[in-house]
Amino acid sequence: MQPALELDELRSGYGDVQVLDGVSLALMPGEIVALIGANGVGKTTLLRTVSGLVRATAGTVTLYGERIDKLPAHRITAAGFVQSPEGKQLFTGMTIEENLMVGAHNDRAYPCMKTTMEEVYQLFPILAERRHKLASTLSGGQQQMLAVGRALMARPKVLALDEPSLGLAPLMVDRLFEAIGEVRKLDISILIIEQNVFQVLSMADRGYVLERGKVMLSGTGRELLENEHLRSTYLGI
């Protein structure tokens, strides 16, 4: 089976500072894959490199067999790799519905904007209830739902989530992870960076552990949860 997303010996960084040092990983269609690692090891840089916001200095990125690492960022999004960034980055002076509409502004997504919006509203009913309210009126958890919903509006083939549970109350984290599980049913593969290691590996099909810009461990979610190095380093067990 052809990977939905494949990175082969990917290297990138900022100026003279190399952050990613030959990262190889694959995400299969319909999978939820977790990317685990301490702060500063290159997780967000990896997403920014795949998204085209940081240029790769070596290696390749393919989306369903087509190279995307030389494309500009807007064309990578249109091709189907869509990132929901850390910190939400919403337009708080716009309504919920207007924020969602912004996400659909590419040639592939725009024609089915109404259908996609209804899918988002089914996934997050609170957004439907408050669709004409300003994004600034939402709670932190609701704003994160809106950020994920806006990314879904771009009709991703692969959805990348960067720390979606950051700063959320435990009950809201549970609701968000339930929704992420539902996204899989839309035939979307998910790559997720998450500090809540136990929760993300409990739901992920597979995971990769990034250390010093390299993949140091990989396996199923269950295998990684049982790995002694990961348990002692990231779970404190």
Side-chain angles (χ1 to χ4, degrees):
M1 182 184 296
Q2 185 181 61
L5 179 72
E6 187 170 20
L7 280 56
D8 184 30
E9 290 294 319
L10 190 66
R11 289 175 167 80
S12 73
Y14 306 93
D16 294 331
V17 179
Q18 180 170 279
V19 179
L20 300 183
D21 187 16
V23 173
S24 297
L25 60 81
L27 178 66
M28 303 306 291
E31 274 194 317
I32 297 177
V33 170
L35 190 61
I36 305 299
N39 290 334
V41 299
K43 303 187 303 298
T44 295
T45 298
L46 186 150
L47 295 190
R48 289 175 59 83
T49 303
V50 177
S51 296
L53 301 175
V54 173
R55 277 291 156 214
T57 55
T60 61
V61 180
T62 56
L63 185 70
Y64 283 95
E66 299 293 327
R67 281 191 67 173
I68 61 172
D69 50 276
K70 301 299 184 183
L71 298 178
H74 70 280
R75 288 187 60 193
I76 292 174
T77 299
F81 182 85
V82 180
Q83 180 180 350
S84 180
E86 180 181 352
K88 308 176 188 71
Q89 299 183 23
L90 301 174
F91 298 102
T92 54
M94 295 168 59
T95 68
I96 290 162
E97 189 143 291
E98 288 168 341
N99 269 273
L100 292 175
M101 291 171 67
V102 167
H105 279 201
N106 69 63
D107 291 342
R108 195 166 55 84
Y110 188 79
C112 37
M113 180 170 62
K114 290 184 179 179
T115 299
T116 310
M117 191 172 295
E118 286 309 311
E119 291 174 348
V120 171
Y121 285 153
Q122 289 177 20
L123 194 62
F124 300 116
I126 188 63
L127 300 184
E129 294 172 17
R130 307 192 64 179
R131 66 179 74 187
H132 301 304
K133 301 291 185 181
L134 293 179
S136 60
T137 66
L138 297 176
S139 69
Q142 292 164 351
Q143 288 190 5
Q144 185 61 69
M145 291 177 182
L146 179 55
V148 174
R150 183 181 60 187
L152 291 174
M153 291 296 297
R155 303 295 291 185
K157 298 175 182 177
V158 175
L159 174 64
L161 302 174
D162 193 355
E163 301 288 4
S165 77
L166 187 67
L168 302 187
L171 284 176
M172 189 58 72
V173 171
D174 291 342
R175 174 68 190 95
L176 183 63
F177 271 84
E178 288 174 9
I180 291 169
E182 291 295 313
V183 169
R184 184 208 301 256
K185 297 178 182 178
L186 301 174
D187 293 325
I188 297 171
S189 305
I190 300 170
L191 179 62
I192 179 170
I193 293 174
E194 178 56 57
Q195 289 293 323
N196 191 331
V197 174
F198 181 83
Q199 190 150 10
V200 74
L201 288 180
S202 296
M203 74 174 298
D205 298 295
R206 294 185 301 111
Y208 293 87
V209 179
L210 204 62
E211 295 181 0
R212 298 184 299 279
K214 297 182 178 182
V215 172
M216 303 302 291
L217 287 171
S218 65
T220 67
R222 181 179 294 275
E223 287 170 347
L224 291 178
L225 281 173
E226 294 174 352
N227 181 276
E228 289 187 8
H229 171 70
L230 186 141
R231 288 166 67 86
S232 63
T233 304
Y234 300 103
L235 297 176
I237 298 175

